[in-house]
Amino acid sequence: MQTIKLRSMGSDVVLLQQLLNKWGYKVDETGLFDEQTDIMVRDFQRKNKLAVDGIVGKGTWSKLQDENARQTATLRLTEEDFKRCAEILGVEVAAVKAVQEVETGDRGGFFAPGRPAILFEGHIFWSQLKKYGLSPEDYVKGNEDILYPKWTKNHYKGGMGEYDRLKKALAIHEKAAACSASWGLFQIMGFNYEACRCKNAREFVEKMCANEGGQLDLFTEFLKSNGWDNYLRTLNWTEFARHYNGPQYAQNKYDEKLQKAYMKYKQ
């Protein structure tokens, strides 16, 4: 494809407009690079961290045709999703965005389509196996990276590597494994599926896999069930961090990070 820009015409412009529509933009496929197309191109470039110049060259063409990137983008939260959550909880949109940023930031709720962001916790798996009547000591050999009695971050792999750990755990006990990872944009532990209004861990995982809007809905139910939405409503970051991130929240300065993120989105 040729490099094209405002006032260009021809088949490459038609292709550009077709690709923009596949990405969810609403642009007429006229073959004329008009002002409407220019606005859409610049928005696309901005959202995909490209040079925002309205010029469709190699980099923009490449991103437009990246099918994996397009599928991932369709999973993302919209401003309407944030507003819906804030309205249900009776909190500010900035407060919801602050929690999302501190939990996953620019990483988002997915590593890849169908693969929500997860972090597998071996010490939780240890306790979950006990809950389901199994002796974790019987499964440790060969599984030292997924099964241990006390918390440690030494076995974290990050990214898709966490799915390698989850797969090993699933082979031992499916439900215990699903309950032993934190999932999605808001990193909710799987054992909280009932607080998220799911009938079982499998339903919880399925909703996590759908899209970020679904993950936000689970977060909404999770806060309501625990009554923690009140801390967001009153902007009590210390208590929200204490309950949401645990008693060691201060070591990672979760309350300070939440306050800082809130002030950014409040502006």
Side-chain angles (χ1 to χ4, degrees):
M1 283 73 68
Q2 297 181 356
T3 296
I4 54 178
K5 58 182 180 180
L6 186 63
R7 289 187 288 277
S8 294
M9 299 178 65
S11 59
D12 282 344
V13 178
V14 173
L15 176 59
L16 165 66
Q17 292 165 335
Q18 290 172 342
L19 289 170
L20 286 170
N21 281 321
K22 289 183 68 174
W23 277 81
Y25 292 93
K26 303 298 181 183
V27 57
D28 297 330
E29 297 174 12
T30 62
L32 170 63
F33 200 133
D34 55 11
E35 291 185 357
Q36 179 197 32
T37 305
D38 181 68
I39 290 171
M40 302 301 179
V41 166
R42 289 175 186 272
D43 185 71
F44 175 83
Q45 291 172 329
R46 185 178 301 106
K47 289 179 178 177
N48 287 277
K49 299 180 180 179
L50 300 165
V52 184
D53 54 13
I55 299 173
V56 183
K58 183 177 179 180
T60 302
W61 277 122
S62 179
K63 180 62 69 172
L64 281 165
Q65 296 178 90
D66 187 334
E67 189 64 19
N68 185 62
R70 186 179 68 79
Q71 291 180 20
T72 300
T74 63
L75 300 172
R76 299 301 188 201
L77 279 180
T78 67
E79 190 67 22
E80 291 305 312
D81 290 325
F82 280 115
K83 290 179 180 178
R84 183 183 72 253
C85 172
E87 183 176 353
I88 292 171
L89 296 177
V91 304
E92 296 178 56
V93 170
V96 180
K97 289 183 175 181
V99 179
Q100 186 269 312
E101 177 172 308
V102 171
E103 288 301 320
T104 48
D106 291 336
R107 292 169 292 165
F110 286 84
F111 293 147
R115 289 286 186 266
I118 64 167
L119 186 61
F120 189 81
E121 300 287 6
H123 68 297
I124 300 296
F125 191 42
W126 185 281
S127 62
Q128 285 289 312
L129 287 181
K130 284 186 174 182
K131 177 180 177 179
Y132 292 109
L134 299 178
S135 174
E137 291 87 351
D138 295 341
Y139 298 90
V140 170
K141 187 175 181 181
N143 293 308
E144 292 84 358
D145 62 331
I146 62 166
L147 197 53
Y148 35 85
K150 295 183 179 180
W151 177 85
T152 176
K153 62 181 180 180
N154 293 339
H155 300 297
Y156 291 164
K157 292 185 177 181
M160 291 298 291
E162 291 300 312
Y163 276 92
D164 295 333
R165 301 176 68 216
L166 177 61
K167 183 178 180 180
K168 291 178 66 176
L170 288 169
I172 297 173
H173 194 286
E174 180 180 346
K175 185 172 182 179
C179 288
S180 300
S182 56
W183 295 81
L185 273 176
F186 298 91
Q187 288 296 282
I188 302 173
M189 290 299 303
F191 60 72
N192 289 305
Y193 65 86
E194 288 183 318
C196 295
R197 300 288 192 269
C198 294
K199 61 180 180 290
N200 52 45
R202 181 170 293 181
E203 180 186 357
F204 172 85
V205 171
E206 287 175 353
K207 288 185 176 181
M208 281 289 178
C209 290
N211 52 51
E212 290 184 351
Q215 294 176 4
L216 183 61
D217 290 341
L218 292 171
F219 169 74
T220 303
E221 295 297 338
F222 183 53
L223 291 193
K224 287 170 57 182
S225 294
N226 287 291
W228 299 345
D229 51 326
N230 182 57
Y231 301 130
L232 276 192
R233 197 172 300 118
T234 58
L235 305 180
N236 189 337
W237 301 116
T238 298
E239 286 305 310
F240 184 85
R242 188 193 312 278
H243 287 81
Y244 198 87
N245 300 107
Q248 305 301 316
Y249 74 94
Q251 293 182 10
N252 292 312
K253 300 182 178 180
Y254 275 116
D255 54 338
E256 296 179 24
K257 292 176 181 177
L258 286 164
Q259 170 72 16
K260 183 178 180 180
Y262 166 76
M263 293 305 297
K264 181 179 76 173
Y265 290 114
K266 180 66 175 176
Q267 294 176 358

